[in-house]
Amino acid sequence: MSRPICPKCHYPQTACLCAQLRPLATRVELIVLQDPSEVKQAKNSVKLMQAVCDKLQVVVGETPADFTQLQAYLKRQSKPILLLYPSEQSQNINELPLPAEVIVLLLDGTWRKAYKLLQLNPWLLEYQAVHLNVDAPSNYTIRKAKRADSLSTLEAAAMAIKALEPNSDVSPLTDALSALVEQHLTAMPSVVRQRYLSQK
Ligand SMILES: [Zn+2]
């Protein structure tokens, strides 16, 4: 028997986050390319992004054939398209003169999987690669929301939006992440929670 799922936030009803979710308003169009193995990851932040950002497109796949529709969609767009992926060719997103009306492609998954996705899909390299300026003061609160692991796709998206649209309010994203982190902490046995908090 599977646990009942909340139809709005897609978390189990016992862990529904709807009360803490607010819609994100941004002109930046986000598209996430997701490795199939990430879809069922409980800690994956993309599901949370979808709950606050109704325009978010998530395309699950590995090979160019999986992304045929996405490629056709991108070819029809007149907006600049950026690939958020740090590399030797990537530019600092804060230093590019860009309008807020851009498309940002994000690769979801571990670094190893993101790298593999890129190797399998050289068509992605046609787009301007950008990296985040994680030390920018505007990113302070976003980084503070983070407690473990490396930058999640949600945090990366929040920072990209902040760079492209400095006046935008990305707190619906970061607050949703904080709510999820709090919920994980509450669900932990207290001895584990103490150990976790002391590592911060
Ligand atoms: Zn819910």
Side-chain angles (χ1 to χ4, degrees), residues 88-134:
E88 280 177 21
Q89 293 79 36
S90 65
Q91 299 214 34
N92 185 329
I93 196 167
N94 291 76
E95 287 166 10
L96 282 176
L98 287 163
E101 281 90 2
V102 297
I103 295 176
V104 179
L105 303 173
L106 297 133
L107 307 179
D108 184 47
T110 59
W111 278 116
R112 201 174 57 83
K113 279 174 196 156
Y115 178 77
K116 194 182 95 187
L117 202 58
L118 203 58
Q119 298 306 301
L120 291 172
N121 293 277
W123 59 272
L124 285 167
L125 300 171
E126 289 168 29
Y127 301 114
Q128 171 68 57
V130 292
H131 59 260
L132 298 164
N133 182 2
V134 284

Side-chain angles (χ1 to χ4, degrees), residues 6-12 15-19 21:
C6 169
K8 270 187 85 181
C9 68
H10 303 286
Y11 280 88
C16 168
L17 288 168
C18 287
L21 301 180

Side-chain angles (χ1 to χ4, degrees), residues 54-72:
D54 55 0
K55 284 180 296 185
L56 178 73
Q57 278 196 65
V58 180
V59 188
V60 178
E62 270 182 315
T63 65
D66 298 328
F67 300 113
T68 315
Q69 276 193 350
L70 174 63
Q71 288 185 67

Side-chain angles (χ1 to χ4, degrees), residues 113-179:
K113 279 174 196 156
Y115 178 77
K116 194 182 95 187
L117 202 58
L118 203 58
Q119 298 306 301
L120 291 172
N121 293 277
W123 59 272
L124 285 167
L125 300 171
E126 289 168 29
Y127 301 114
Q128 171 68 57
V130 292
H131 59 260
L132 298 164
N133 182 2
V134 284
D135 293 323
S138 61
N139 288 331
Y140 178 67
T141 45
I142 298 171
R143 293 180 72 203
K144 213 164 62 130
K146 169 176 98 101
R147 299 206 189 174
D149 308 316
S150 55
L151 213 59
S152 67
T153 303
L154 180 149
E155 291 164 298
M159 286 189 195
I161 292 170
K162 214 57 194 153
L164 295 162
E165 213 177 354
N167 297 324
S168 65
D169 175 17
V170 295
S171 69
L173 278 173
T174 51
D175 287 356
L177 185 64
S178 303

